[in-house]
Amino acid sequence: MTTLLADVVQPGYGALGAGLAAIGAGIGIGQIGKGAVDSIARQPEASNDIRANMILAAALVEGVALLAAVAGLLAVFQK
């Protein structure tokens, strides 16, 4: 008889994980925006390239955070 980790861990930890994923995404996107604003202030002629890279990086961070939040919520509503 095998016991899975999901059977042992309480469902509240899934909600905690989803919340931490949202907080982490907020911090990450804030750092991306800060870096982009600093870069544009230093080199205004490169603002279009910097903005495009910022949007791409923010989308990737948001995608990973969404995946983590869904996994956490699935752990909550597993049974």
Side-chain angles (χ1 to χ4, degrees):
M1 178 181 203
T2 20
T3 303
L4 297 176
L5 182 61
D7 295 335
V8 178
V9 176
Q10 296 177 356
Y13 290 125
L16 183 65
L20 287 175
I23 290 171
I27 292 171
I29 291 174
Q31 291 295 317
I32 291 169
K34 175 185 169 277
V37 169
D38 286 344
S39 299
I40 290 172
R42 290 181 185 183
Q43 292 184 340
E45 67 275 1
S47 64
N48 289 334
D49 293 334
I50 293 169
R51 187 177 301 117
N53 287 330
M54 178 192 71
I55 291 171
L56 178 64
L60 291 173
V61 168
E62 194 66 32
V64 170
L66 180 65
L67 182 66
V70 167
L73 291 175
L74 283 175
V76 170
F77 299 116
Q78 182 182 11
K79 292 185 181 189

